[in-house]
Amino acid sequence: MRRYDLRALAHAAIAVLWVSSAWAGAPIDLIVAAAHPGPTIDRNVFGQFAEHLGAGIYGGVWVGKGSSIPNVRGIRRDVVVALRALKVPNVRWPGGCFADEYHWRDGVGPQAKRKSTINANWGAAIEPNSFGTDEFMDFIAQIGSEAYVSVNVGSGTAQEAADWLAYMTAPTSTSAGEERAANGHPEPYRVKFLGIGNESWGCGGAMTPDYYLSQLKIYSRYVRNYNPAQTGDRAMRRIAVGADGGVTDYPEAIMRAWHDKVWSWDIEGLSLHSYTTAGWPPKHPSTHFDEREYALMLKDTLAMEGLISKHSTIMDKYDPEKKILLAVDEWGVWLAPMAGTNPGFLVQQNSLRDALLASLNFNMFVRHSDRVRMANIAQMTNVLQAMIMTDRERMVLTPTYHAFRMYVPFQDATYLPVKVDAGTYTEGMTSLPRVDSIAARDHQGRIWLAITNLDARESVRISVALGSAEAHSARGEVLSAQHVDEVNSFEVPQAVWPQPFAATASGGALTLDVPAKSLVVVQLE
Ligand code: AHR
C-alpha cells in the first residue's frame, strides 16, 4: 500500500469521528411547511460555467484523441463520469471574458487546420482552438447537459453570431447545416440558452447601458435558432447582460426598455454576476485559513440574498408576471491564486468552507425560485470554485462537487418553505445565522431537507416537524471534516467526503444532530 493510501484511510477514520462525536445541546425547532408549497426549483440553478481559461477546458475537459489519458473523442472519461452524477442542467461556454474575443470559425473543421490564437484575457496562453463548437456539443451530450452559448458582442458582429447559430441549428438543406454535417453532425444541435455578450459593462466592451441595449436589440432579433425541435416551450432563451453585483444601471435600463419594447426584439433572461471575494482584488487564501476567515467569507457570500432582492425589485417593477428569469450566471468564491500558478489561470483550492458556501447560495437561489431560474457556478474544472481538479491523468472531486451532488434531489422539485429559529454563530467580529435550511417535494412526492450548520465549533440538535404531518425518519448524507479549511488533494482525495446520515423519531419527535460546520441533506419519511 502506498503512503497516500494509508493517509486516505486515516482520513476516513477521522471522518467517522466527526460524525459520531457530536454533542448537540437543546433542540431547536424546524418546521417544513409541507402544506404550503412554493414555486418549482428550476434545475438550471445548478448550472456550470466552463471558460477557456487556464486548465478549465484544456487539461480539465479536453485532452485530445491521441492522449494516454482515457478519453472519448478527446474528452476525458473520468471527468465525464464525475459530472454525469451531478445531472448538470446546463453548461455556459466559451466564456466569460473569453467569449467577447472568441471567433467560432477558429474552432470548427479539421483539427490540423485550426488557428492558434492568444487568450489575451487569461494568462496570454496559446489557444489551440482544438476544443470548438462540435467538441463542446459532444462534451455536453456525454455529460447529459444542455448548451448555454455566449456570443461575442464585444469584438464580434451580429452577423458572426447569426452565422454561428445557423451552423449549430440550421437544417442540412442550408449551407451552414451542410458544413456542420460535413464536420460530423447532420442533426441540428440544441442551444437552450443564448448569452448576448458577457459583462458588457466591463471586459465585454465597457459599454454604457444604452449602447449595450442597442446591440442587444440587434442580436436578439437576428441571432436565430433554426432547430425545428426548439419551438414553443422549448424555444431558446436569450439572456441579456445584467448587473455587476449591486450596480443597477444595466438591469434598470434593460428592464425599462423591455417593458416598452417593440415586437422585433425580446429577451427571456437577465444576468447577474457576483463573486464572494470579501474585497477586490481577491486576496483571501484558499488553504490554511482559520475560523475567522471562514466566518468572514460565509458572511460575505450571504450578501447574495440582498443582491437578488434588489434586482428582483427592479424586475418586478417592469415585469410583475416574472416572465424574465434572473440568471446568476457567474457566482462562487474567488480567492488568491495558488502559489506557483499563473495568476491569470485563477487556480485556487477548494475546502469544506467552500462546499458550505455553495449550499448557502443554493438556498438563497431556491428561496427566490420565482425569479432566479438559472445560475452557473464559476467554474467547472480547475478554475475558481471548481467541482473537479485535474493534474495530467489524476482527478480529484472537490468538496463543492459533493455539495452539488447532494442537492441533485432539489432539481425541479417544489419548494417548501422552512421555518427555523436559526440562532447566531459569532466568530470574532463576525456574526452569522447558525443554521440555514431549505426543503422541497420531488416528483415522487418525497420530501427533501437540506440543513447547513455554519457553526464551526458546535453541533446543533434540530427537531423536525412537517407542519400538518409527522416525520418518522430521515435518511441521507452529511458532509463535514475535522477542519473548516480541509481540502481534497491528489494525495488525499477523500478528506472531505459525504458520509451516511440517518435518524429515527422517538417519542413522536424526529431530532437530527447536525455536526459543526456541516451540510446535511436527507429525505424525510
Ligand atoms: O470567471 C472568471 C471571469 O470573471 C469571467 O471571465 C468574467 O466574466 C468575470 O469577470
Side-chain angles (χ1 to χ4, degrees):
M1 187 178 277
R2 283 183 291 181
R3 191 168 60 89
Y4 60 77
D5 291 331
L6 285 171
R7 283 170 63 186
L9 273 181
H11 272 82
I14 288 168
V16 173
L17 264 183
W18 60 250
V19 173
S20 58
S21 65
W23 165 244
I28 61 172
D29 291 330
L30 183 152
I31 300 166
V32 178
H36 297 95
T40 299
I41 301 165
D42 196 315
R43 73 171 77 170
N44 287 301
V45 298
F46 299 96
Q48 300 279 334
F49 172 32
E51 182 166 11
H52 288 235
L53 192 178
I57 297 291
Y58 297 107
V61 172
W62 177 258
V63 288
K65 292 179 187 161
S67 172
S68 58
I69 298 170
N71 68 85
V72 175
R73 294 181 293 279
I75 294 160
R76 47 190 306 165
R77 196 187 288 269
D78 53 357
V79 166
V80 166
V81 170
L83 289 173
R84 285 191 76 86
L86 298 190
K87 299 194 186 305
V88 178
N90 72 82
V91 181
R92 181 171 182 254
W93 175 84
C97 296
F98 180 82
D100 277 302
E101 292 193 58
Y102 184 59
H103 299 288
W104 68 276
R105 281 225 156 267
D106 297 346
V108 293
Q111 287 280 345
K113 292 199 173 152
R114 295 201 189 170
K115 267 191 192 169
S116 282
T117 50
I118 291 179
N119 189 334
N121 275 290
W122 303 118
I126 298 297
E127 167 58 56
N129 283 298
S130 14
F131 188 88
T133 307
D134 295 292
E135 292 75 20
F136 170 68
M137 291 294 185
D138 189 13
F139 169 58
I140 58 165
Q142 289 190 35
I143 66 170
S145 192
E146 297 274 3
Y148 176 8
V149 174
S150 283
V151 293
N152 182 344
V153 173
S155 69
T157 61
Q159 184 62 57
E160 182 187 9
D163 290 346
W164 192 11
L165 264 285
Y167 175 81
M168 291 188 276
T169 65
T172 48
S173 48
T174 64
S175 303
E178 202 180 357
E179 183 182 0
R180 184 188 63 247
N183 289 334
H185 205 278
E187 276 299 301
Y189 291 120
R190 275 172 59 85
V191 180
K192 188 162 181 182
F193 299 100
L194 182 80
I196 301 182
N198 170 75
E199 298 192 354
S200 303
W201 31 261
C203 68
M207 299 172 189
T208 62
D210 281 349
Y211 184 84
Y212 173 72
L213 200 45
S214 61
Q215 298 295 305
L216 175 67
K217 291 174 183 174
I218 294 167
Y219 275 70
S220 101
R221 168 107 178 109
Y222 299 117
V223 184
R224 299 176 200 265
N225 186 317
Y226 297 102
N227 187 333
Q230 288 199 260
T231 53
D233 284 354
R234 298 199 179 123
M236 179 175 78
R237 290 176 222 164
R238 293 156 288 185
I239 315 292
V241 170
D244 171 14
V247 184
T248 56
D249 56 351
Y250 263 61
E252 181 68 46
I254 291 162
M255 290 306 298
R256 192 187 323 116
W258 178 82
H259 179 262
D260 299 331
K261 76 179 185 61
V262 294
W263 65 270
S264 57
W265 74 278
D266 210 345
I267 53 170
E268 287 75 33
L270 184 67
S271 90
L272 160 63
H273 287 187
S274 175
Y275 286 93
T276 300
T277 57
W280 192 263
K283 58 179 183 314
H284 291 270
S286 59
T287 57
H288 303 104
F289 54 83
D290 57 16
E291 278 177 33
R292 278 177 51 167
E293 182 72 19
Y294 161 85
L296 177 77
M297 297 312 277
L298 293 189
K299 176 99 182 175
D300 198 60
T301 217
L302 291 173
M304 179 66 83
E305 182 86 44
L307 286 180
I308 294 172
S309 299
K310 185 175 187 172
H311 297 303
S312 295
T313 304
I314 295 171
M315 295 176 83
D316 286 351
K317 190 165 60 172
Y318 299 107
D319 173 29
E321 291 172 55
K322 300 182 193 291
K323 290 183 179 158
I324 306 290
L325 64 90
L326 182 60
V328 189
D329 55 9
E330 285 189 30
W331 69 272
V333 62
W334 187 329
L335 302 162
M338 294 284 284
T341 63
N342 182 333
F345 288 1
L346 311 187
V347 181
Q348 63 190 46
Q349 250 299 359
N350 191 299
S351 61
L352 169 66
R353 188 267 322 270
D354 303 338
L356 303 187
L357 185 147
S359 76
L360 298 178
N361 281 277
F362 297 153
N363 297 355
M364 291 184 277
F365 301 152
V366 165
R367 281 193 283 267
H368 290 273
S369 290
D370 58 342
R371 184 65 84 176
V372 180
R373 303 199 289 270
M374 182 163 186
N376 300 75
I377 192 167
Q379 297 194 6
M380 194 167 64
T381 57
N382 294 321
V383 176
L384 299 177
Q385 190 177 350
M387 309 302 105
I388 291 173
M389 299 181 84
T390 61
D391 174 29
R392 288 178 288 271
E393 73 287 351
R394 297 192 294 178
M395 180 192 81
V396 71
L397 305 179
T398 67
T400 298
Y401 172 93
H402 295 298
F404 267 83
R405 221 249 314 115
M406 290 166 73
Y407 270 73
V408 165
F410 290 92
Q411 292 194 15
D412 288 340
T414 302
Y415 170 58
L416 300 175
V418 169
K419 193 164 168 271
V420 61
D421 179 10
T424 306
Y425 156 59
T426 301
E427 175 58 51
M429 305 286 283
T430 308
S431 286
L432 297 161
R434 191 173 171 214
V435 170
D436 192 39
S437 176
I438 58 157
R441 181 183 279 116
D442 69 16
H443 287 302
Q444 283 137 283
R446 299 174 302 189
I447 294 182
W448 294 87
L449 178 66
I451 302 174
T452 305
N453 179 6
L454 288 75
D455 193 321
R457 296 178 296 268
E458 302 283 337
S459 61
V460 60
R461 178 161 290 169
I462 296 188
S463 172
V464 178
L466 284 179
S468 47
E470 273 182 15
H472 302 291
S473 66
R475 194 168 299 279
E477 289 176 300
V478 54
L479 185 71
S480 190
Q482 277 291 90
H483 306 289
V484 290
D485 61 345
E486 198 97 36
V487 302
N488 290 336
S489 62
F490 294 109
E491 291 72 31
V492 186
Q494 298 192 358
V496 189
W497 201 265
Q499 304 293 319
F501 183 98
T504 311
S506 87
L510 177 65
T511 53
L512 311 182
D513 286 341
V514 181
K517 50 179 161 29
S518 78
L519 165 66
V520 165
V521 177
V522 284
Q523 184 202 326
L524 300 177
E525 299 275 1

